[in-house]
Amino acid sequence: MREYLQSIFEKPCFTKPWKPISRPEIVAWLVFYVGFMVYAFNAHGAGLFIDAANMVVHEGGHNLFRWFGATLCLWGGTLLQWLVPFLLAIYFFSQRQVAGFVFCAFFFFENWLYTATYMADARAMELPLVTTGDPDFAEHDFHAIFTSLGFLDHDTQIAAVVRTLGWIGMLAVVGWLAFRLRAVEAESAPAATFPPPAIPLVQRYPGKPRPTVAAQVSNANPAQLAPKPDPGK
């Protein structure tokens, strides 16, 4: 994974232009993201429909990191839940694909809302627990994590900070997409045209070309070019 990340950032992806995306496509995505944020705001911290997918990745993280010890197994659900959209966002960023990058970045930060809800329940433990193993051995991740760190009494404060950062991230991603809409409109706007320069009268009304001064001098009579005597001498 480290070599993959290094290969991404070694490439001059920051200097490459974004792949083109149409204005109607950006508008449709903006409507979707704004509608989703309204839906998430009205949920007031309750579960969202996308959290079913987040939960699947979360439980997969426990099974994956179980091979690295009990501590990583405990943290692994949240780690994989955040790593999947984050790494996908990096990939689409390196490919300069606007829609894919924004989608993965947006739902990376949306995962923070899901995590914040889980954190806030550390002391109350009212949320139903889901596990891929024996339900008799299921434990609340953040009850165990905060207890080991000595932060159990601050579960709701930590959750509020995580939730706020998630909202800031989602708003920032949508704002960046709106900025891309302005960039697309500027690129598609017709270039300013200026009237052609005025045509000189000589070109508008062509006639017999006037001789130049040098030609007049060369064609003049030598007697005419001689200096005239001073009548006062």
Side-chain angles (χ1 to χ4, degrees), residues 32-61:
F32 168 76
Y33 292 127
V34 171
F36 184 90
M37 288 191 293
V38 171
Y39 158 68
F41 180 80
N42 291 332
H44 301 291
L48 308 177
F49 72 86
I50 193 66
D51 291 339
N54 296 335
M55 182 176 61
V56 171
V57 179
H58 182 99
E59 294 304 318

Side-chain angles (χ1 to χ4, degrees), residues 74-97:
L74 183 62
W75 287 79
T78 302
L79 287 176
L80 189 66
Q81 177 187 329
W82 288 12
L83 274 175
V84 168
F86 179 73
L87 294 178
L88 287 173
I90 291 179
Y91 169 76
F92 285 114
F93 177 84
S94 67
Q95 299 299 311
R96 312 305 278 172
Q97 297 183 15

